Amino acid sequence: MNFIFHGEIIDYQYINSHKEKTILLLHGWGGDKNSFLPTIKILKTRFNILTLTMPTVNPTKIVWHLQDFKDLILNILSALNIMSISIVCHSFGFRVASLLNGICKIEKIVVTGGAGLKRKNKIKELENENNLILLRQKKFKYLFKKIASADYLNLSKINKISFKNIVNFESNKMIKFSCPMLAFWGNNDDATPISMGKKIAKKNKIKLNVVSGSHFAYLEHNAEFNNLVRNFL
């Protein structure tokens, strides 16, 4: 199904199982509506399911801000007459969920590899390890490319501006939810380090579920993740 927002065609799927509760699944940067497909298969017999492909890496007509993604979700919820949701989100999806917090009724939230918290400046770290003069010389531009996100380097010009808008919107105030939360993290996550997961868990006074995995631990340990999510929701 398609939804038009800011002139963009948004691909979404609403599985109406005629259940009382609806689960909204928010993928990470570069993902799509099928990023949580194994989880959807588990949940769709018990819940209504709403999943969409947010415009991240596919070229867009306009520059997006994080608030635009929030408004997109609110508009789809309104169009479907959904009054309350539980959220399952990964990475960038947690940024969007954080802005929905307090605006729409969220009953429960599951976060894995959540992004949005402040972290150490990689440029500064590199400067400490290398001569600053060399960093500024053109022949050492590869040093900057080495630490630049692959997500960013592959984007269109408009999408690069959107990416900058989003990653620069960082606030530790985003991590406190008033609803029950389940947190699932890979101990080798190099995109959203486990220290972020610990901070989120501490702020929400919950246990952090840690597995031996990467930023995509929810897929690497899918059976364990799905079991936790099903029982939690």
Side-chain angles (χ1 to χ4, degrees):
M1 295 180 279
N2 292 329
F3 187 85
I4 307 299
F5 183 78
H6 288 346
E8 308 279 3
I9 300 176
I10 308 300
D11 181 23
Y12 79 99
Q13 182 179 23
Y14 179 53
I15 303 174
N16 187 355
S17 301
H18 303 287
K19 303 297 183 180
E20 182 181 350
K21 300 181 183 297
T22 297
I23 309 298
L24 168 66
L25 298 109
L26 298 175
H27 62 76
W29 189 271
D32 59 31
K33 67 179 184 180
N34 295 316
S35 292
F36 282 104
L37 191 58
T39 305
I40 291 172
K41 290 179 179 178
I42 295 294
L43 298 179
K44 68 180 182 180
T45 59
R46 302 186 181 189
F47 304 95
N48 304 321
I49 300 293
L50 174 59
T51 180
L52 71 155
T53 299
M54 294 182 284
T56 54
V57 297
N58 292 330
T60 58
K61 300 176 183 177
I62 63 168
V63 171
W64 282 65
H65 294 78
L66 191 57
Q67 290 86 344
D68 294 318
F69 291 93
K70 174 205 69 178
D71 291 340
L72 165 63
I73 301 299
L74 291 175
N75 275 266
I76 293 178
L77 292 175
S78 177
L80 295 174
N81 197 31
I82 298 173
M83 307 304 295
S84 65
I85 53 174
S86 288
I87 298 176
V88 178
C89 59
H90 172 239
S91 195
F92 165 71
F94 183 64
R95 294 180 184 268
V96 180
S98 297
L99 289 194
L100 292 171
N101 186 28
I103 295 179
C104 64
K105 184 178 179 181
I106 302 175
E107 297 184 6
K108 294 182 179 181
I109 181 167
V110 176
V111 55
T112 175
L117 278 69
K118 293 180 180 179
R119 61 181 298 178
K120 292 181 180 179
N121 190 309
K122 288 187 176 181
I123 293 290
K124 293 296 182 183
E125 289 178 355
L126 198 59
E127 287 177 357
N128 291 335
E129 298 173 5
N130 299 274
N131 191 307
L132 182 57
I133 295 176
L134 295 180
L135 281 174
R136 289 174 175 167
Q137 292 180 6
K138 289 184 179 180
K139 66 179 180 179
F140 286 94
K141 277 181 105 176
Y142 75 92
L143 287 173
F144 289 98
K145 287 189 177 182
K146 181 180 178 181
I147 63 172
S149 168
D151 290 331
Y152 176 79
L153 294 175
N154 294 325
L155 294 175
S156 67
K157 289 184 178 180
I158 290 180
N159 288 43
K160 283 181 178 179
I161 299 174
S162 299
F163 186 86
K164 287 180 180 179
N165 289 338
I166 291 161
V167 298
N168 288 330
F169 189 97
E170 294 182 330
S171 173
N172 290 332
K173 296 179 180 179
M174 295 171 63
I175 66 175
K176 181 68 174 72
F177 280 73
S178 57
C179 65
M181 174 186 285
L182 170 69
F184 188 88
W185 236 266
N187 62 357
N188 294 314
D189 189 332
D190 59 359
T192 54
I194 194 171
S195 58
M196 293 185 178
K198 291 178 179 178
K199 193 166 188 177
I200 291 172
K202 182 178 180 180
K203 191 72 174 180
N204 291 276
K205 299 179 180 179
I206 62 169
K207 171 189 173 183
L208 178 63
N209 295 275
V210 181
V211 294
S212 178
S214 71
H215 188 51
F216 296 91
Y218 78 100
L219 292 175
E220 296 162 350
H221 296 268
N222 196 243
E224 182 176 350
F225 176 75
N226 287 342
N227 187 54
L228 285 170
V229 170
R230 179 175 52 198
N231 292 336
F232 175 71
L233 294 177

